[in-house]
Amino acid sequence: MTTLLWIIAMILVLGALAYLRVSLLTATIAAAVVMTAGWTLDVVGPISWIIFLVVALPLNISAFRQNVISRPLMKVYRGIMPEMSSTEKEAIEAGTTWWEADLFAGNPNWKKLHNYPVARLSADEQAFLDGPVEEVCRMVNQHQVSHQLADLPADVWQYLKDNGFFAMIIKKKYGGLEYSAYAQSRVLQKLAGLSSELASTVGVPNSLGPGELLQHYGTPEQQNHYLPRLAKGLEVPCFALTSPEAGSDAGSIPDFGIVCKGQWEGEEVLGMKLTWNKRYITLAPVATVLGLAFKLRDPEHLLGDKEELGITCALIPTDMEGVETGRRHFPLNCMFQNGPTHGNEVFVPLSFIIGGPKMAGQGWRMLVECLSVGRGITLPSNSAGGVKTAALATGAYARIRRQFKLPIGKLEGIEEPMARIGGNAYLMDAVTTLTTTGIDLGEKPSVISAIVKYHLTDRMQKCVIDAMDIHGGKGVCLGPNNYLGRGYQAAPIAITVEGANILTRSMIIYGQGAIRCHPYVIAEMESAFDTESGQGLANFDAAIFGHIGFATSNFIRSFWLGLTSSRFSNAPYSDKTKRYYQQMNRFSANLALLSDLAMATLGGNLKRKERISARLGDLLSQLYLASATLKRYEDEGRQTDDLPLVQWAVEDALYKLQASLDDLLDNFPMGLGGALRVVMFPFGRPLKRPSDVLDHKVAKIMQTPCESRDRLGKGQFWTNSEHNAVGIQEQTLLDIIASEPLHDKVCKASGKRLPFMWLDKVAAEGKALGVLSDDEVNLLERAEIGRMKSINVDDFDPAELRPEVVSTSSQERAA
């Protein structure tokens, strides 16, 4: 019995040490103490001590461990993990890791998350949102843009230029606004809620493009020439990366430049002949300066020994001879400026390279680093803004529109998709806020940017479909009164650009995340192939044994947290959010363990097992989305009225995580899934999707004017102006709610149960009965006008549906 108790004690001590992630030396000392206790109890004999010392001493003597254990392991490692290519290495090294690394490590520090600063707008940024952004939203008639002009009106283009909309990222010393990433996100959200064309036109110059690249890498001459002109709107930029033969695989672009001598402004200079064929380039049809990515070659060795210099970025004025701006693309009837650009042996000086000749061949790193910032702001913000507006607009419509003598929002079949829209609106705003907070702290989060680009555009598309289902014919029939149809058409565009979502999920998120976020993998890879520094073996030894301890810890953590349903793990709060933190502790440990096992069993083949990689990426992604939601709840003062939104968002994210984890275990390499399921889900899957009761609470918030609803749609364009159908409908929602007791009063006075329609007739009857004041009559009459405007759809003379062919070109309107 004593021996059994001692064995249990040793297992518990070692398990606790692994759970707490103590050092090898500390674990050895603790094990020695337990061995000594066993010796005292006459349980441990000399043979046990000899075995212990034979194992413990070599592990703690670094020179012995390195040569006897680590050196053979390093040879095996080199065979399993092929050396990274230069482009892979540049992609991995570009950018930074941030909160996602904590989630990946199996033991999230929730205090660290909540200590990140609360995102705030400066006075200037708030004034810009309340002034120029509000005004340009008033100016835009979306039906006119998408059906009549096929472009933003000329006065809108000029207003954007005059008021610095293209200069949000440009520093003040060059005449720009120099706004925070958070402010840029709020601007784009507000614009996107009204018009995808408007948001895209503003978003692209402030994302990956000449402005961003010039500020980070441009020569002083380039910066002083271009940045003030970009800030004033004298130059319209675009950036050309995508080719017909290379879309998501941007590293394989066929466009090229040849270093050579040529004539420039009457003199012979060293330059390059550029040949390119690009497509899908936003703003290309109206751009005056073209950012161009191409592969630079130096066959005559005019710059050095290398012939293939690699991807390079240059700035090309579009009015140069040989630069051909193609006609416009027509992306799903969305009228933002987008089209091809071509050039054949266009000669330019080497000074046109962004950063000058010294940056020749450095374009891939430039693109990856800058893309991680722009991709984390533009499309996620556009998606969040669209869903926030759709959430409140759908809530208002569901409260105004009646069927079966009830507002349709009270029907359970409608509550289900409404909850998805509302919960996602809360989550998506939270995610953009946390992501831009990281960017404003100086991070270049390449993994996070891939997560938010994929998941927010995906959720946006699904939410727009839900909104269309609720609106029915109101969403289908296009016209000035339809605030959903164009967004529905535009949704697939966001899915395909800046890294198609299928590729982003299956390759990029985890492909970068597994290496960037893991605390030991990069060190292992670098040291394993380090043949020059003399420190390769020592560094590999430290990394591999750290990795072994890390994996052991995550196995113990996964087992214990699964066995106890994580109820004893740390959580920063003891309220209704406590279980969410604890469940995320559990799934974080699962992710870390499964990552190590996947890498160990598949090695370098993991990147080709895209469905395994995608599901591992799902775990990391959903943890990030859920943690951003909890961070928002904290930052906004833990408003208990918002709890239904928080609960729905987190429960949905964690349920999706659990589903991906379940699929992963079903398909895990080498048949390990069954054993791992026992460790992770000893009592079955613990989580359920958000309940019907929770759906009802979220749907009710969306339909009821209140502070929670205001926070859900905060910052969007709700002004009751001529062309803003959602703003008009918001006023109608207030009028309808105020009309309901008046309707009841007239019904009671008349002794009849009047239908809640033809409110102008109800008003007339109430006035005749003497139970309504003139103000109340006016309210009912106004409510009826708004009700019918909300319900009705637009109709047209057949001739109106043929767009006019205007003589003024898009380029002239934008000039």
Side-chain angles (χ1 to χ4, degrees):
M1 187 63 179
T2 304
T3 302
L4 179 61
L5 291 174
W6 179 85
I7 292 172
I8 293 172
M10 177 64 87
I11 292 172
L12 290 176
V13 168
L14 293 178
L17 294 171
Y19 185 94
L20 296 171
R21 299 185 174 176
V22 302
S23 67
L24 176 61
L25 179 60
T26 301
T28 303
I29 292 171
V33 170
V34 178
M35 290 289 292
T36 302
W39 177 272
T40 303
L41 295 171
D42 202 26
V43 172
V44 174
I47 295 176
S48 298
W49 269 108
I50 291 170
I51 294 172
F52 172 76
L53 294 172
V54 166
V55 173
L57 289 176
L59 291 178
N60 285 276
I61 300 173
S62 59
F64 180 88
R65 187 182 67 211
Q66 288 176 23
N67 288 288
V68 176
I69 303 175
S70 296
R71 191 180 296 277
L73 284 176
M74 188 162 70
K75 292 180 180 179
V76 173
Y77 188 93
R78 287 174 178 167
I80 295 174
M81 298 290 289
E83 191 170 4
M84 284 188 292
S85 67
S86 59
T87 54
E88 286 177 320
K89 191 171 183 180
E90 286 179 354
I92 292 297
E93 291 175 350
T96 61
T97 57
W98 189 51
W99 171 242
E100 77 277 22
D102 286 70
L103 295 171
F104 195 96
N107 187 21
N109 183 344
W110 301 116
K111 183 178 180 181
K112 177 180 178 180
L113 172 69
H114 291 308
N115 281 342
Y116 290 133
V118 178
R120 307 276 188 205
L121 294 171
S122 70
D124 286 346
E125 291 166 344
Q126 187 63 61
F128 187 72
L129 278 161
D130 295 340
V133 179
E134 181 80 8
E135 180 58 27
V136 81
C137 287
R138 289 176 184 267
M139 295 170 67
V140 171
N141 177 343
Q142 180 58 33
H143 180 68
Q144 180 191 50
V145 170
S146 57
H147 181 68
Q148 296 169 344
L149 295 180
D151 193 7
L152 295 173
D155 62 334
V156 172
W157 272 102
Q158 194 59 50
Y159 190 87
L160 294 175
K161 295 175 182 179
D162 292 344
N163 288 274
F165 279 84
F166 299 154
M168 289 192 291
I169 64 169
I170 296 176
K171 296 184 187 305
K172 291 181 179 179
K173 69 178 181 178
Y174 298 113
L177 299 178
E178 199 173 346
Y179 283 169
S180 65
Y182 176 65
Q184 295 172 48
S185 175
R186 307 315 285 189
V187 170
L188 293 175
Q189 284 190 34
K190 189 166 186 173
L191 299 180
L194 176 72
S195 166
S196 62
E197 288 87 350
L198 186 58
S200 297
T201 300
V202 172
V204 168
N206 292 289
S207 181
L208 174 63
E212 177 82 2
L213 295 171
L214 278 170
Q215 291 198 120
H216 285 89
Y217 307 104
T219 64
E221 293 78 13
Q222 291 170 340
Q223 292 172 340
N224 292 329
H225 174 74
Y226 278 112
L227 291 175
R229 294 179 61 79
L230 289 168
K232 293 176 183 177
L234 299 177
E235 302 278 7
V236 177
C238 71
F239 192 84
L241 177 60
T242 302
S243 301
E245 294 84 3
S248 297
D249 184 15
S252 297
I253 55 175
D255 314 282
F256 64 92
I258 304 294
V259 178
C260 60
K261 293 181 180 179
Q263 292 293 315
W264 183 258
E265 297 181 345
E267 297 182 9
E268 185 179 72
V269 299
L270 190 59
M272 48 194 175
K273 285 185 178 179
L274 304 176
T275 298
W276 71 91
N277 177 24
K278 304 286 191 178
R279 64 177 180 176
Y280 304 153
I281 311 306
T282 299
L283 295 186
V286 295
T288 62
V289 59
L290 170 69
L292 182 67
F294 56 93
K295 287 184 176 176
L296 186 60
R297 303 169 188 162
D298 186 13
E300 298 181 30
H301 301 285
L302 297 174
L303 295 180
D305 296 333
K306 290 180 66 176
E307 184 169 327
E308 298 290 337
L309 298 179
I311 294 176
T312 302
C313 297
L315 290 179
I316 313 297
T318 58
D319 59 1
M320 281 185 58
E321 184 178 353
V323 178
E324 300 176 20
T325 300
R327 299 188 299 174
R328 288 179 64 178
H329 296 317
F330 192 25
L332 290 176
N333 213 39
C334 297
M335 298 303 178
F336 62 95
Q337 293 285 342
N338 186 276
T341 175
H342 318 278
N344 183 39
E345 295 191 346
V346 177
F347 180 81
V348 297
L350 288 177
S351 60
F352 279 34
I353 296 174
I354 297 176
K358 71 178 188 299
M359 296 302 290
Q362 300 300 309
W364 182 240
R365 184 181 185 90
M366 292 162 59
L367 292 173
V368 173
E369 286 188 343
C370 289
L371 183 60
S372 69
V373 174
R375 188 167 54 179
I377 300 174
T378 305
L379 286 174
S381 299
N382 291 355
S383 299
V387 173
K388 285 167 64 178
T389 295
L392 266 61
T394 303
Y397 179 79
R399 186 69 177 78
I400 295 166
R401 179 78 165 114
R402 292 188 174 226
Q403 296 282 271
F404 310 108
K405 300 180 180 179
L406 284 172
I408 63 170
K410 294 184 181 294
L411 304 174
E412 289 192 356
I414 300 293
E415 284 184 343
E416 184 178 1
M418 282 188 70
R420 289 196 293 265
I421 300 169
N424 276 302
Y426 188 91
L427 176 143
M428 292 167 72
D429 200 4
V431 170
T432 57
T433 299
L434 180 60
T435 303
T436 52
T437 295
I439 293 170
D440 285 330
L441 290 173
E443 303 292 341
K444 294 183 177 180
S446 56
V447 177
I448 286 177
S449 70
I451 290 172
V452 298
K453 188 274 169 183
Y454 163 56
H455 284 278
L456 267 60
T457 58
D458 179 70
R459 285 172 180 251
M460 174 272 294
Q461 185 182 44
K462 291 179 170 63
C463 286
V464 171
I465 292 171
D466 278 334
M468 291 287 285
D469 287 349
I470 292 168
H471 283 75
K474 169 76 172 180
V476 169
C477 294
L478 294 174
N481 206 33
N482 186 327
Y483 44 76
L484 282 178
R486 297 301 183 183
Y488 174 80
Q489 288 179 316
I493 300 172
I495 300 295
T496 65
V497 299
E498 291 193 15
N501 274 9
I502 292 175
L503 174 137
T504 301
R505 175 178 179 256
S506 61
M507 295 179 66
I508 296 177
I509 293 175
Y510 191 76
Q512 290 189 355
I515 298 176
R516 290 302 310 274
C517 298
H518 198 289
Y520 298 104
V521 167
I522 287 182
E524 288 171 350
M525 296 179 73
E526 290 177 345
S527 58
F529 295 97
D530 180 6
T531 58
E532 298 179 1
S533 71
Q535 293 296 311
L537 179 61
N539 292 338
F540 181 80
D541 173 78
I544 197 69
F545 274 91
H547 195 157
I548 292 170
F550 178 73
T552 303
S553 172
N554 286 314
F555 177 82
I556 296 298
R557 290 181 63 82
S558 291
F559 175 73
W560 175 250
L561 294 174
L563 191 65
T564 62
S565 193
S566 63
R567 290 189 178 276
F568 303 109
S569 66
N570 68 299
Y573 296 98
S574 298
D575 58 9
K576 291 185 178 180
T577 66
K578 178 179 180 179
R579 289 295 293 144
Y580 301 144
Y581 290 102
Q582 292 177 327
Q583 288 157 352
M584 291 167 72
N585 291 335
R586 174 182 186 172
F587 288 129
S588 177
N590 294 166
L591 168 62
L593 175 61
L594 291 168
S595 295
D596 279 330
L597 290 174
M599 286 186 280
T601 54
L602 293 172
N605 290 323
L606 178 57
K607 64 182 179 181
R608 285 179 285 276
K609 293 291 185 179
E610 294 175 14
R611 300 185 75 173
I612 299 295
S613 178
R615 290 162 181 147
L616 287 166
D618 288 345
L619 308 191
L620 179 60
S621 298
Q622 300 297 348
L623 284 171
Y624 182 74
L625 302 184
S627 62
T629 304
L630 293 171
K631 166 70 169 164
R632 174 181 179 175
Y633 183 57
E634 167 71 10
D635 288 351
E636 293 183 348
R638 308 189 73 77
Q639 304 286 340
T640 55
D641 289 346
D642 295 354
L643 262 176
L645 297 165
V646 178
Q647 292 173 301
W648 195 99
V650 176
E651 289 178 19
D652 178 70
L654 295 184
Y655 183 79
K656 286 182 168 68
L657 183 156
Q658 179 180 258
S660 289
L661 176 53
D662 194 44
D663 290 341
L664 178 60
L665 294 177
D666 282 342
N667 296 277
F668 206 79
M670 298 176 63
L672 293 175
L676 290 169
R677 190 180 295 279
V678 173
V679 172
M680 296 176 183
F681 294 147
F683 305 112
R685 293 183 297 177
L687 303 183
K688 297 179 180 179
R689 67 175 72 249
S691 68
D692 295 351
V693 171
L694 200 51
D695 282 357
H696 170 74
K697 291 179 179 178
V698 172
K700 185 176 180 180
I701 288 173
M702 293 168 65
Q703 299 173 75
T704 308
C706 60
E707 291 184 359
S708 289
R709 188 176 187 271
D710 291 344
R711 283 188 288 270
L712 189 63
K714 183 179 179 181
Q716 297 307 104
F717 181 54
W718 303 119
T719 303
N720 181 358
S721 60
E722 180 183 1
H723 304 305
N724 187 18
V726 296
I728 296 170
Q729 186 170 262
E730 280 294 294
Q731 180 60 52
T732 299
L733 171 66
L734 300 177
D735 290 345
I736 289 293
I737 292 174
S739 296
E740 288 175 346
L742 303 182
H743 175 267
D744 291 342
K745 185 191 294 187
V746 174
C747 290
K748 184 177 180 180
S750 66
K752 297 179 290 186
R753 188 62 195 168
L754 302 171
F756 195 84
M757 60 179 70
W758 306 313
L759 298 180
D760 52 341
K761 296 180 180 179
V762 174
E765 186 162 352
K767 185 175 183 179
L769 291 170
V771 296
L772 294 181
S773 68
D774 289 344
D775 287 343
E776 291 171 331
V777 168
N778 291 335
L779 171 61
L780 283 169
E781 290 174 344
R782 187 175 72 240
E784 179 62 17
I785 293 171
R787 187 182 74 87
M788 293 308 298
K789 187 173 182 62
S790 180
I791 294 171
N792 279 338
V793 299
D794 299 291
D795 55 82
F796 303 89
D797 183 286
E800 291 182 81
L801 297 179
R802 294 193 294 270
E804 294 181 27
V805 180
V806 293
S807 59
T808 305
S809 69
S810 296
Q811 288 91 335
E812 290 171 335
R813 284 198 302 274

